[in-house]
Each structure stands twice: as structure tokens, then as C-alpha cells.
Amino acid sequence: MLAWNLRDRRSDIDLVVFVAGRLSPRPKEHRRALQFLRKLGFVVQNAPLLVNPYAYAPDENKRYNFCKVNMYAMIDYTKVVYVDSDLFLPNGAQRTDQLFDLYEGSPKPAARYNWKTQINAGFMLARPNITLYWDMLAKFNTLESPTGGDQGFQNAYFYKHVSGFEGF
């Protein structure tokens, strides 16, 4: 629903779907799902599976939950508004589309704070930067994520190496 609302309000933006791995274990269904997303107007980007270095359980959701870090490699774009697929936003696009116009010139990502110093990485504005992306990947195994996931990793990374986040 959010995607359609954004498309109605902002025809100047691409709606991109990261596909990390397979949408179905059956190749034919996977291809059909990709075709369907494209038919709906989404730009489909295959994203590398970034294995969570802190996931010790065989749970697939925890093992590959670092894929949103790939948004920093989307250098064809100047800004990315990242929204987790399971995030519900009341009044969807009414305020979300305004994020594309915020924080001009700020190198820091912007996000909604969950706590005083912790952001929600499931809804944020980022500026793709390939140098930053490779630096984040280089620190995967050395910078500990307090939560064991990508949200904790991004919080730790940006507070230690980029002086935090902008808030919205």
C-alpha cells in the first residue's frame, strides 16, 4: 500500500525492491515473482546475501538479516528511503515522501529514534556511498552489534565512525 501511495504522490522516485536470495525455492516461481514485481513498477535489485556474523542459530531470518546494509551501495541514487517490508505506516506516503526533501547536504543517515540514542534501521533515509559501504563490510567481523542484528550494527557503526544520525 505504501508503494502505491508513494507512486501516486511522487512519480519522480524509483520504488526499489531488494531481493536477497530467492523469493521461492522453486526457480520458476522465483522468476514469476520477479516478473510480477517489475510489472507492478518496481525496480528489482539483486542484493548480495550478507551473512550475519553474530547469528549462531540456523534461523534463516537471523542468518541473513544484514541485507539492508546494501542500500549504501545504491550509488545510482543520491538518497534512499529504506522501509522494511513488514513496517506499517499509518497515513503511508503522506509524510514518507517528504523525507526525500530533507537533510540536504548532511552526510549522516537520518532515522526515527527508538530510544534516546538508538535508531530504527527499518525506516531510514540514507545517502549511498560506496566507500562507506565497503568500510561497513570491512568492519562486519570486528565491530560488535549489541543486538546481534543489522540495526545494532548500524547504530554502533555510525556512532563510532560517522558521529551519529540525524533524527526525524
Side-chain angles (χ1 to χ4, degrees):
M1 193 62 153
L2 174 63
W4 279 263
N5 286 336
L6 276 171
R7 174 66 67 213
D8 288 343
R9 293 173 61 85
R10 295 287 298 258
S11 62
D12 62 323
I13 60 172
D14 288 341
L15 299 174
V16 180
V17 174
F18 277 157
V19 176
R22 294 223 162 263
L23 297 174
S24 170
R26 297 184 186 107
K28 188 175 181 178
E29 288 179 14
H30 173 76
R31 284 191 303 277
R32 193 176 316 146
L34 292 176
Q35 289 171 345
F36 182 70
L37 287 168
R38 288 184 183 106
K39 187 176 179 179
L40 291 173
F42 289 99
V43 174
V44 177
Q45 287 196 351
N46 291 317
L49 285 172
L50 300 178
V51 178
N52 182 346
Y54 313 105
Y56 305 110
D59 180 354
E60 288 289 309
N61 289 330
K62 291 181 181 160
R63 186 158 186 232
Y64 297 115
N65 73 349
F66 268 67
C67 292
K68 71 179 70 163
V69 171
N70 288 311
M71 74 179 135
Y72 297 100
M74 296 177 67
I75 58 173
D76 291 340
Y77 300 95
T78 56
K79 289 183 185 177
V80 173
V81 174
Y82 182 89
V83 182
D84 271 345
S85 61
D86 63 351
L87 192 67
F88 174 73
L89 300 171
N91 301 324
Q94 288 180 4
R95 296 208 176 114
T96 306
D97 69 326
Q98 296 170 1
L99 291 176
F100 289 97
D101 301 323
L102 296 177
Y103 305 109
E104 285 300 325
S106 176
K108 298 189 281 187
R112 177 100 37 204
Y113 283 93
N114 284 344
W115 302 278
K116 289 183 181 183
T117 59
Q118 299 291 307
I119 57 95
N120 178 355
F123 181 47
M124 60 187 295
L125 172 87
R127 281 161 197 78
N129 178 317
I130 201 68
T131 304
L132 177 77
Y133 174 72
W134 287 115
D135 190 55
M136 291 174 86
L137 293 184
K139 291 178 174 51
F140 256 27
N141 294 313
T142 58
L143 183 64
E144 189 170 340
S145 169
T147 62
D150 63 66
Q151 181 164 299
F153 175 80
Q154 287 192 63
N155 274 287
Y157 179 86
F158 283 104
Y159 281 109
K160 185 169 184 167
H161 300 286
V162 190
S163 71
F165 294 87
E166 300 283 353
F168 61 75

